[in-house]
mmCIF file of all heavy atoms in Angstrom:
data_model
loop_
_atom_site.group_PDB
_atom_site.id
_atom_site.type_symbol
_atom_site.label_atom_id
_atom_site.label_comp_id
_atom_site.label_asym_id
_atom_site.label_seq_id
_atom_site.Cartn_x
_atom_site.Cartn_y
_atom_site.Cartn_z
ATOM 1 N N TYR A 172 63.785 -110.081 -54.558
ATOM 2 C CA TYR A 172 64.477 -111.274 -54.077
ATOM 3 C C TYR A 172 65.128 -111.973 -55.257
ATOM 4 O O TYR A 172 64.701 -111.872 -56.381
ATOM 5 C CB TYR A 172 63.489 -112.229 -53.402
ATOM 6 C CG TYR A 172 62.806 -111.628 -52.209
ATOM 7 C CD1 TYR A 172 61.553 -111.038 -52.320
ATOM 8 C CD2 TYR A 172 63.419 -111.642 -50.960
ATOM 9 C CE1 TYR A 172 60.928 -110.469 -51.224
ATOM 10 C CE2 TYR A 172 62.803 -111.085 -49.859
ATOM 11 C CZ TYR A 172 61.547 -110.507 -49.999
ATOM 12 O OH TYR A 172 60.945 -109.952 -48.898
ATOM 13 N N LEU A 173 66.192 -112.724 -54.944
ATOM 14 C CA LEU A 173 66.831 -113.532 -55.957
ATOM 15 C C LEU A 173 66.010 -114.758 -56.234
ATOM 16 O O LEU A 173 65.570 -115.438 -55.296
ATOM 17 C CB LEU A 173 68.226 -113.997 -55.515
ATOM 18 C CG LEU A 173 69.316 -112.948 -55.393
ATOM 19 C CD1 LEU A 173 70.607 -113.595 -54.873
ATOM 20 C CD2 LEU A 173 69.589 -112.298 -56.727
ATOM 21 N N THR A 174 65.787 -115.075 -57.500
ATOM 22 C CA THR A 174 65.150 -116.327 -57.852
ATOM 23 C C THR A 174 66.218 -117.418 -57.773
ATOM 24 O O THR A 174 67.421 -117.132 -57.677
ATOM 25 C CB THR A 174 64.577 -116.288 -59.278
ATOM 26 O OG1 THR A 174 65.662 -116.114 -60.194
ATOM 27 C CG2 THR A 174 63.570 -115.165 -59.445
ATOM 28 N N ALA A 175 65.802 -118.652 -57.815
ATOM 29 C CA ALA A 175 66.748 -119.775 -57.770
ATOM 30 C C ALA A 175 67.729 -119.696 -58.955
ATOM 31 O O ALA A 175 68.937 -119.937 -58.795
ATOM 32 C CB ALA A 175 66.027 -121.112 -57.766
ATOM 33 N N MET A 177 68.621 -116.927 -60.576
ATOM 34 C CA MET A 177 69.536 -115.811 -60.353
ATOM 35 C C MET A 177 70.625 -116.180 -59.350
ATOM 36 O O MET A 177 71.790 -115.811 -59.514
ATOM 37 C CB MET A 177 68.750 -114.589 -59.846
ATOM 38 C CG MET A 177 67.805 -113.983 -60.873
ATOM 39 S SD MET A 177 66.620 -112.843 -60.163
ATOM 40 C CE MET A 177 67.648 -111.458 -59.743
ATOM 41 N N GLU A 178 70.254 -116.927 -58.323
ATOM 42 C CA GLU A 178 71.230 -117.371 -57.328
ATOM 43 C C GLU A 178 72.266 -118.282 -57.965
ATOM 44 O O GLU A 178 73.465 -118.122 -57.754
ATOM 45 C CB GLU A 178 70.533 -118.085 -56.174
ATOM 46 C CG GLU A 178 71.484 -118.548 -55.099
ATOM 47 C CD GLU A 178 70.790 -119.289 -53.978
ATOM 48 O OE1 GLU A 178 69.558 -119.221 -53.847
ATOM 49 O OE2 GLU A 178 71.508 -119.960 -53.211
ATOM 50 N N ARG A 179 71.792 -119.253 -58.753
ATOM 51 C CA ARG A 179 72.732 -120.179 -59.429
ATOM 52 C C ARG A 179 73.672 -119.418 -60.364
ATOM 53 O O ARG A 179 74.873 -119.690 -60.393
ATOM 54 C CB ARG A 179 71.955 -121.250 -60.202
ATOM 55 C CG ARG A 179 71.550 -122.446 -59.385
ATOM 56 C CD ARG A 179 71.074 -123.587 -60.274
ATOM 57 N NE ARG A 179 69.828 -123.263 -60.956
ATOM 58 C CZ ARG A 179 68.622 -123.338 -60.400
ATOM 59 N NH1 ARG A 179 68.481 -123.752 -59.161
ATOM 60 N NH2 ARG A 179 67.547 -123.026 -61.099
ATOM 61 N N GLU A 180 73.131 -118.452 -61.094
ATOM 62 C CA GLU A 180 73.954 -117.676 -62.026
ATOM 63 C C GLU A 180 75.019 -116.870 -61.272
ATOM 64 O O GLU A 180 76.194 -116.854 -61.654
ATOM 65 C CB GLU A 180 73.066 -116.745 -62.849
ATOM 66 C CG GLU A 180 73.819 -115.947 -63.902
ATOM 67 C CD GLU A 180 72.889 -115.016 -64.682
ATOM 68 O OE1 GLU A 180 71.667 -115.236 -64.697
ATOM 69 O OE2 GLU A 180 73.426 -114.057 -65.266
ATOM 70 N N LEU A 181 74.621 -116.219 -60.179
ATOM 71 C CA LEU A 181 75.556 -115.429 -59.383
ATOM 72 C C LEU A 181 76.651 -116.324 -58.802
ATOM 73 O O LEU A 181 77.828 -116.019 -58.901
ATOM 74 C CB LEU A 181 74.823 -114.715 -58.263
ATOM 75 C CG LEU A 181 75.678 -114.001 -57.223
ATOM 76 C CD1 LEU A 181 76.459 -112.849 -57.872
ATOM 77 C CD2 LEU A 181 74.848 -113.476 -56.077
ATOM 78 N N LEU A 182 76.260 -117.466 -58.233
ATOM 79 C CA LEU A 182 77.244 -118.347 -57.617
ATOM 80 C C LEU A 182 78.155 -119.001 -58.646
ATOM 81 O O LEU A 182 79.346 -119.197 -58.375
ATOM 82 C CB LEU A 182 76.534 -119.409 -56.766
ATOM 83 C CG LEU A 182 75.773 -118.839 -55.552
ATOM 84 C CD1 LEU A 182 75.018 -119.925 -54.839
ATOM 85 C CD2 LEU A 182 76.718 -118.109 -54.614
ATOM 86 N N LEU A 185 80.669 -116.351 -59.502
ATOM 87 C CA LEU A 185 81.638 -116.241 -58.420
ATOM 88 C C LEU A 185 82.579 -117.441 -58.388
ATOM 89 O O LEU A 185 83.745 -117.309 -58.028
ATOM 90 C CB LEU A 185 80.935 -116.101 -57.059
ATOM 91 C CG LEU A 185 80.247 -114.765 -56.825
ATOM 92 C CD1 LEU A 185 79.372 -114.833 -55.573
ATOM 93 C CD2 LEU A 185 81.262 -113.646 -56.689
ATOM 94 N N ALA A 194 84.950 -115.019 -50.926
ATOM 95 C CA ALA A 194 83.806 -114.134 -51.159
ATOM 96 C C ALA A 194 82.606 -114.951 -51.599
ATOM 97 O O ALA A 194 81.474 -114.711 -51.157
ATOM 98 C CB ALA A 194 84.137 -113.093 -52.213
ATOM 99 N N LYS A 195 82.822 -115.940 -52.430
ATOM 100 C CA LYS A 195 81.735 -116.807 -52.891
ATOM 101 C C LYS A 195 81.107 -117.530 -51.716
ATOM 102 O O LYS A 195 79.880 -117.593 -51.585
ATOM 103 C CB LYS A 195 82.231 -117.793 -53.926
ATOM 104 C CG LYS A 195 81.128 -118.650 -54.519
ATOM 105 C CD LYS A 195 81.507 -120.085 -54.453
ATOM 106 C CE LYS A 195 80.386 -120.927 -55.037
ATOM 107 N NZ LYS A 195 79.940 -121.955 -54.128
ATOM 108 N N ASP A 196 81.937 -118.080 -50.819
ATOM 109 C CA ASP A 196 81.414 -118.800 -49.651
ATOM 110 C C ASP A 196 80.616 -117.872 -48.747
ATOM 111 O O ASP A 196 79.545 -118.227 -48.266
ATOM 112 C CB ASP A 196 82.548 -119.443 -48.859
ATOM 113 C CG ASP A 196 83.208 -120.591 -49.610
ATOM 114 O OD1 ASP A 196 82.516 -121.222 -50.418
ATOM 115 O OD2 ASP A 196 84.403 -120.821 -49.384
ATOM 116 N N ILE A 197 81.114 -116.658 -48.545
ATOM 117 C CA ILE A 197 80.425 -115.703 -47.681
ATOM 118 C C ILE A 197 79.094 -115.289 -48.304
ATOM 119 O O ILE A 197 78.066 -115.266 -47.641
ATOM 120 C CB ILE A 197 81.311 -114.490 -47.395
ATOM 121 C CG1 ILE A 197 82.488 -114.919 -46.510
ATOM 122 C CG2 ILE A 197 80.522 -113.364 -46.722
ATOM 123 C CD1 ILE A 197 83.566 -113.880 -46.363
ATOM 124 N N ILE A 198 79.103 -114.988 -49.608
ATOM 125 C CA ILE A 198 77.865 -114.584 -50.288
ATOM 126 C C ILE A 198 76.854 -115.710 -50.282
ATOM 127 O O ILE A 198 75.670 -115.514 -50.052
ATOM 128 C CB ILE A 198 78.176 -114.097 -51.721
ATOM 129 C CG1 ILE A 198 78.932 -112.772 -51.641
ATOM 130 C CG2 ILE A 198 76.907 -113.953 -52.543
ATOM 131 C CD1 ILE A 198 79.499 -112.293 -52.937
ATOM 132 N N GLU A 199 77.329 -116.951 -50.482
ATOM 133 C CA GLU A 199 76.408 -118.100 -50.459
ATOM 134 C C GLU A 199 75.804 -118.281 -49.070
ATOM 135 O O GLU A 199 74.636 -118.577 -48.931
ATOM 136 C CB GLU A 199 77.126 -119.358 -50.913
ATOM 137 C CG GLU A 199 76.175 -120.496 -51.205
ATOM 138 C CD GLU A 199 76.833 -121.633 -51.972
ATOM 139 O OE1 GLU A 199 78.040 -121.562 -52.266
ATOM 140 O OE2 GLU A 199 76.121 -122.610 -52.251
ATOM 141 N N CYS A 200 76.601 -118.072 -48.044
ATOM 142 C CA CYS A 200 76.072 -118.141 -46.666
ATOM 143 C C CYS A 200 75.017 -117.071 -46.459
ATOM 144 O O CYS A 200 73.951 -117.330 -45.849
ATOM 145 C CB CYS A 200 77.188 -117.932 -45.650
ATOM 146 S SG CYS A 200 78.150 -119.397 -45.279
ATOM 147 N N LEU A 201 75.284 -115.855 -46.922
ATOM 148 C CA LEU A 201 74.318 -114.765 -46.748
ATOM 149 C C LEU A 201 73.000 -115.098 -47.435
ATOM 150 O O LEU A 201 71.929 -114.852 -46.889
ATOM 151 C CB LEU A 201 74.893 -113.454 -47.291
ATOM 152 C CG LEU A 201 76.021 -112.818 -46.505
ATOM 153 C CD1 LEU A 201 76.681 -111.703 -47.315
ATOM 154 C CD2 LEU A 201 75.513 -112.292 -45.180
ATOM 155 N N ILE A 202 73.093 -115.645 -48.641
ATOM 156 C CA ILE A 202 71.885 -115.997 -49.381
ATOM 157 C C ILE A 202 71.136 -117.132 -48.684
ATOM 158 O O ILE A 202 69.942 -117.069 -48.452
ATOM 159 C CB ILE A 202 72.217 -116.371 -50.834
ATOM 160 C CG1 ILE A 202 72.719 -115.153 -51.598
ATOM 161 C CG2 ILE A 202 71.003 -116.983 -51.526
ATOM 162 C CD1 ILE A 202 73.317 -115.466 -52.955
ATOM 163 N N ASP A 203 71.869 -118.183 -48.325
ATOM 164 C CA ASP A 203 71.232 -119.354 -47.723
ATOM 165 C C ASP A 203 70.646 -119.058 -46.354
ATOM 166 O O ASP A 203 69.572 -119.581 -46.003
ATOM 167 C CB ASP A 203 72.238 -120.516 -47.603
ATOM 168 C CG ASP A 203 72.602 -121.099 -48.961
ATOM 169 O OD1 ASP A 203 71.873 -120.822 -49.935
ATOM 170 O OD2 ASP A 203 73.605 -121.823 -49.043
ATOM 171 N N LEU A 204 71.331 -118.263 -45.562
ATOM 172 C CA LEU A 204 70.844 -117.973 -44.213
ATOM 173 C C LEU A 204 69.855 -116.829 -44.192
ATOM 174 O O LEU A 204 69.086 -116.690 -43.252
ATOM 175 C CB LEU A 204 72.033 -117.630 -43.297
ATOM 176 C CG LEU A 204 73.030 -118.758 -43.049
ATOM 177 C CD1 LEU A 204 74.215 -118.241 -42.261
ATOM 178 C CD2 LEU A 204 72.361 -119.898 -42.300
ATOM 179 N N GLY A 205 69.899 -115.970 -45.206
ATOM 180 C CA GLY A 205 68.987 -114.820 -45.242
ATOM 181 C C GLY A 205 69.297 -113.810 -44.167
ATOM 182 O O GLY A 205 68.417 -113.169 -43.620
ATOM 183 N N CYS A 206 70.567 -113.659 -43.838
ATOM 184 C CA CYS A 206 70.945 -112.745 -42.765
ATOM 185 C C CYS A 206 71.699 -111.548 -43.340
ATOM 186 O O CYS A 206 72.085 -111.533 -44.504
ATOM 187 C CB CYS A 206 71.787 -113.444 -41.720
ATOM 188 S SG CYS A 206 73.375 -114.047 -42.298
ATOM 189 N N ARG A 207 71.908 -110.570 -42.489
ATOM 190 C CA ARG A 207 72.672 -109.391 -42.876
ATOM 191 C C ARG A 207 74.165 -109.697 -42.708
ATOM 192 O O ARG A 207 74.549 -110.612 -41.987
ATOM 193 C CB ARG A 207 72.295 -108.216 -41.991
ATOM 194 C CG ARG A 207 70.851 -107.791 -42.170
ATOM 195 C CD ARG A 207 70.558 -106.602 -41.262
ATOM 196 N NE ARG A 207 69.234 -106.119 -41.537
ATOM 197 C CZ ARG A 207 68.210 -106.233 -40.684
ATOM 198 N NH1 ARG A 207 68.387 -106.813 -39.529
ATOM 199 N NH2 ARG A 207 67.023 -105.765 -40.998
ATOM 200 N N LEU A 211 76.181 -112.182 -39.942
ATOM 201 C CA LEU A 211 77.072 -113.288 -40.303
ATOM 202 C C LEU A 211 78.442 -113.081 -39.693
ATOM 203 O O LEU A 211 79.044 -114.030 -39.169
ATOM 204 C CB LEU A 211 77.167 -113.427 -41.829
ATOM 205 C CG LEU A 211 77.961 -114.605 -42.345
ATOM 206 C CD1 LEU A 211 77.320 -115.922 -41.917
ATOM 207 C CD2 LEU A 211 78.066 -114.569 -43.863
ATOM 208 N N LEU A 229 74.437 -125.626 -47.636
ATOM 209 C CA LEU A 229 74.374 -124.699 -46.505
ATOM 210 C C LEU A 229 75.280 -125.154 -45.381
ATOM 211 O O LEU A 229 76.059 -124.402 -44.855
ATOM 212 C CB LEU A 229 72.933 -124.562 -46.015
ATOM 213 C CG LEU A 229 72.726 -123.759 -44.733
ATOM 214 C CD1 LEU A 229 73.222 -122.323 -44.942
ATOM 215 C CD2 LEU A 229 71.282 -123.760 -44.327
ATOM 216 N N ASN A 232 78.901 -124.674 -46.303
ATOM 217 C CA ASN A 232 79.292 -123.275 -46.345
ATOM 218 C C ASN A 232 79.492 -122.681 -44.963
ATOM 219 O O ASN A 232 80.392 -121.893 -44.746
ATOM 220 C CB ASN A 232 78.257 -122.441 -47.113
ATOM 221 C CG ASN A 232 78.405 -122.647 -48.594
ATOM 222 O OD1 ASN A 232 79.450 -123.044 -49.065
ATOM 223 N ND2 ASN A 232 77.352 -122.397 -49.315
#
Side-chain angles (χ1 to χ4, degrees):
Y172 299 95
L173 290 178
T174 64
M177 291 166 72
E178 181 181 345
R179 274 192 294 279
E180 183 181 340
L181 173 64
L182 295 175
L185 288 169
K195 184 230 179 234
D196 291 331
I197 292 170
I198 291 170
E199 193 166 0
C200 278
L201 289 168
I202 293 170
D203 290 344
L204 295 173
C206 64
R207 296 181 174 110
L211 185 62
L229 173 60
N232 283 338

